[in-house]
């Protein structure tokens, strides 16, 4: 059966191998909802609705059932309770299940993982509702980022892991000449040794997109995975676990290769889980405090983190200022600034900028920017589609506190979501600050908070963006400049700060978006995270090679 | 110039690329001293002698000169003093030199590294004397392990690093279809971002063999390297630094890309150096205590360790018992047990073993083993050639204490080295212990100490070897068995313990030897070290990729 899965998805794997080398556009899982057939939307929604107010029954030993406190940012009471298994039982079961999984041929593990992705893909509508209702994303974002784009990232991890495991020949006849004497001849084989138990600590905003890469990287390299969703966003990863366990069981493997670990904000289990010496791989996406703690303290394991950051836009000059604002207004408001890639700070020289060779004053730039955002979000229905809902009460608190004592360029306003009247929807506040006021803007204000930072020059803008990146991390820089010298200087600054950079985006590509098989998500080179999704370094230490030598 | 170096050594690189995939035998640097021409031996020796009693003058800022306390295990007073540069000055100079180096094209850095290896190869006789006189190795081992085999390992790191850096295309045109609208088109480039300053902490026994992989891996990936030799074994890595700086300067680079950091046992600088936040890569070979400390504490850097271990031989059955003893007697006495790959514990069932289908009692096996070692080392000249000299006073202390309270199967004896009468040369002591006496044999007794461990069965032998490996680490297992079921069980145990395993070596291949391009040295999967020389994981985190996106 796992062999059959491998054959079935062989072409997908082959194409993925090609594309991670060319980095060209490719996505095997359609991002258009229309591609899934006429019945899919209703069936997916019905499947989601059918989960509500019930036990999430999977074939995993349940010591008790979780309290079902997962609430939707759209105001719905999901009322789903999950099986809770004690940490030690999870670890013991993972170890047992991991033995056969770790010994299975690479093709079998790869085949099973490809089939999991395939089945998840067929289920993208249900997943979209699960992601939407737990994260507060708009439906379309939840569909794309929670479904096909997350699956792309998962497949990317599968193919990188498969590459890493198939670098060595099955056997080698090693023959060393000895002059006139007989050569020394040894037959060598290499055995893959998985690292051990992997734990994935899920994030509340993009649980599948950020979770799949580590999960699939660990699985293909032979490690059993314990998936601990964020206590406020359980359902999407629970659906993943359910699907994975079904495919594993169908293929004759112990389903405990993938297990669900559910906890609550009041009684978190993450530390207990990851500090167990049997856990050798930890994938974490979330706040910096816990990520930093993991990097420093979980030295018995390989730790892969994606944390928080302060992303920057640097405006130096442009040909199409309207295009600049059009692009920025979308990228900075999409999902209410709750993407780790959303720009937060917009650096603009006090002396103004050049547009098509003509000077445009600071005030005009700033007014144009604020106006573009105001315009984009003026209609409540459109604003709801763009902003989604605010996931975390802390984001609302930050929003409410951000303006205090500062010049406000655009007030935040409440938006009414007609379909979900309880949803907490806010347009961003835009605050003007001086470059010197680092305490205000040089910190992560996750959520709908935008700072426009007045600087002495583009040079200073780059210096401040660099400082913010080195101190607090960053996932993205976006630079607007028509001057090749400035572009070169900005690119070098981005490399030094270890942050990916985009230039002059005015069309339909937004800096927040990172595409599987092409863009690396995070660099691993600044405090926003110690690793990149998905590159060879994300795979390399998830397994080891044991050499076996026998005389020929 | 660096381009020229690349072209000059292109074929070497190409062949190395092929061989890391096939894992077949290959060595571009001849291991036979005769291959270097008639004049090479005398010229090399003269060059070495010319170093003695002098300042080791290189073009590196010297704050003062080291005291010249480096003494030879062969009893010579080398009297070489080295330039000492303050740690902060080293770091500042590394940072400055690293900027251009990190921006240089991969080909240029690769070319420079290949040329360094080439020039070191031409100098293999001088290096042999330097390694011999600082480590206590015999001349032939010092020549091979200090020269060509170390260069093989260096080249292996160069080619793995080169592979890792050339996975991505130079640029990609990324074109995403948008249905009936124009596609989104972006030009993407990828910039390599070196991790930062690399520090190599050298080992006293195989300074070049264990040092080159990390050094060259860091250099090719764009990082400046500070080389801190073990204070008791400075000269070999000082010669490396001298050569590297010459090639760098000739190629137009700042020679501070490679710097020498000299300290003394009394005033060590290692912690000060590696805990500086500018240091992002640490390569360490040496004792477990400091290696464990680095893994736990240097969390600001990537740490690659090769530490100590307890290696095991498991004797279950054989067809050629004489061959077993012949092979073991060499592998266990070579360089007086001062290789990290030397077996220490020989597990033999109390009930005896089977040889060619006939039972052979425990006493007979043990007597045969001790007799083989006694016979091999009976002649002082031959014993001197095999044993080398004892490097560290602590090894002598361990040797003297090892027999106390135990049954001695073979006493250690002093061997006279005719050429170097002051050399401290000892044959190993062979001590018989019971499997239950774990406190005695389940600890590293680096140096000429061998334990024969009586067990209830081969099953117990494997369990005890596993326990020793999981608790104290191991680099090698050597299993003698003619029974396929035992071989399978032993191979699985080795994989579970994360240690490479060889079977039934009776000929000219010794378990201590690990061949570049074919054998991985260490697995990284047990306490003997967190990494392997040289595999993709040894390279992956030495650099990052920064993506740059521009609209097409």
């Amino acid at each position: 059966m796992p062999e059959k899965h491998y054959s079935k998805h062989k072409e997908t794997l082959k194409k993925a191998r090609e594309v991670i080398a060319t980095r060209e556009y490719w996505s095997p899982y359609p991002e258009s909802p229309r591609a899934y057939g006429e019945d899919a939307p209703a069936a997916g929604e019905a499947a989601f609705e059918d989960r509500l107010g019930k036990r999430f029954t999977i074939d995993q030993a349940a010591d008790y059932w979780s309290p079902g406190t997962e609430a939707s940012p759209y105001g719905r009471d999901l009322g789903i309770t999950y099986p809770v298994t004690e940490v030690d039982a999870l670890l013991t079961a993972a170890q047992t299940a991991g033995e056969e999984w770790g010994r299975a041929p690479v093709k079998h593990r790869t085949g099973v993982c490809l089939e999991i992705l395939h089945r998840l893909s067929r289920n993208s509508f249900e997943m979209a509702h699960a992601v939407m209702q737990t994260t507060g994303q708009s439906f379309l974002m939840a569909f794309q980022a929670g479904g096909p784009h997350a699956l792309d990232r998962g497949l990317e991890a599968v193919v990188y892991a498969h590459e890493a495991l198939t670098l060595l020949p099955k056997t080698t006849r090693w023959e060393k000449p000895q002059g006139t004497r007989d050569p020394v001849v040894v037959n060598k084989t290499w055995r893959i040794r998985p690292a051990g138990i992997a734990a994935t600590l899920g994030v509340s905003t993009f649980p599948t997109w950020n979770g799949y890469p580590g999960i699939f990287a660990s699985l293909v390299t032979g490690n059993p995975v314990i998936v601990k969703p964020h206590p406020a966003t359980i359902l999407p990863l629970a659906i993943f676990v359910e699907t994975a366990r079904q495919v594993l069981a169908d293929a004759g493997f112990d389903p405990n290769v993938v297990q669900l670990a559910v906890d609550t904000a009041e009684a978190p289990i993450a530390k207990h889980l990851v500090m167990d010496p049997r856990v050798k791989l930890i994938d974490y996406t979330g706040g910096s405090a816990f990520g930093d703690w993991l990097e420093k303290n979980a030295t018995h394991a390989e730790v892969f983190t994606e944390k928080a950051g302060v992303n920057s836009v640097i405006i130096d000059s442009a040909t199409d200022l309207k295009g600049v604002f059009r692009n920025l207004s979308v990228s900075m408001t999409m999902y209410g600034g709750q993407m780790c890639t959303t720009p937060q700070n917009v650096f603009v020289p006090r002396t103004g900028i050049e547009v098509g060779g003509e000077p445009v004053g600071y005030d005009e730039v700033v007014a144009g920017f604020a106006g573009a955002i105001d315009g984009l979000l003026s209609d409540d229905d459109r604003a709801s589609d763009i902003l989604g809902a605010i996931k975390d009460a802390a984001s609302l608190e930050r929003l409410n506190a951000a303006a205090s004592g500062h010049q406000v360029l655009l007030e935040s306003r409440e938006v009414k979501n007609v379909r979900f009247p309880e949803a907490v929807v806010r347009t961003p506040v835009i605050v003007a600050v001086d470059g010197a006021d680092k305490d205000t803007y040089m910190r992560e204000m996750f959520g709908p908070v935008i700072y426009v930072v007045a600087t002495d020059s583009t040079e200073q803008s780059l210096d401040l963006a660099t400082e913010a990146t080195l101190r607090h991390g960053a996932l993205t820089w976006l630079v607007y400049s028509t001057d090749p010298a400035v572009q070169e200087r900005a690119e070098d600054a981005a490399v030094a700060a270890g942050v990916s950079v985009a230039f002059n985006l005015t069309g339909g590509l937004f800096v927040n978006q990172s595409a599987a098989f092409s863009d690396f998500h995070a660099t691993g080179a600044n405090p926003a995270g110690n690793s990149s999704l998905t590159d060879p370094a994300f795979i390399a230490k998830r397994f080891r090679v044991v050499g076996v030598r026998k005389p020929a």
Side-chain angles (χ1 to χ4, degrees), chain A residues 156-214:
Chain A
E156 191 181 28
V158 170
V159 67
Y160 265 112
H162 184 267
E163 287 290 282
L165 295 175
T166 51
L167 283 177
L168 298 171
K170 280 213 190 313
T171 63
T172 298
R173 185 180 156 92
W174 188 84
E175 187 168 337
K176 181 177 177 177
Q178 302 287 304
T180 53
R181 284 172 298 149
D182 286 346
V184 173
V185 187
V186 187
N187 285 333
K188 304 188 181 190
T189 52
W190 288 273
R191 291 273 303 265
I192 300 296
R193 183 187 185 281
I197 296 173
T200 288
L201 306 181
V203 67
S204 64
T205 47
F206 291 90
T208 55
W209 198 97
N210 280 94
Y212 289 169

Side-chain angles (χ1 to χ4, degrees), chain A residues 23-48:
Chain A
R23 315 303 292 180
E24 286 170 0
Y25 171 76
W26 183 61
S27 171
Y29 308 107
E31 70 174 15
S32 164
R34 283 190 299 275
Y36 292 75
E38 260 181 47
D39 302 336
E45 186 164 5
F48 166 73

Side-chain angles (χ1 to χ4, degrees), chain A residues 74 128 132 136-143 335 384-389:
Chain A
Y74 286 104
M132 176 184 180
Q137 290 172 32
S138 69
F139 180 77
L140 189 63
M141 177 183 277
F143 184 89
Y335 188 27
S384 288
D385 282 349
I386 293 170
L387 296 167

Side-chain angles (χ1 to χ4, degrees), chain A residues 49-85:
Chain A
E49 295 290 339
D50 196 42
R51 303 272 191 193
L52 305 184
K54 290 188 187 151
R55 286 188 168 184
F56 190 93
T57 314
I58 52 173
D59 61 335
Q60 183 179 314
D63 292 313
Y64 57 94
W65 291 80
S66 70
T69 50
E70 194 179 28
S72 166
Y74 286 104
R76 300 188 65 174
D77 177 11
L78 305 182
I80 308 171
T81 58
Y82 299 92
V84 179
T85 315

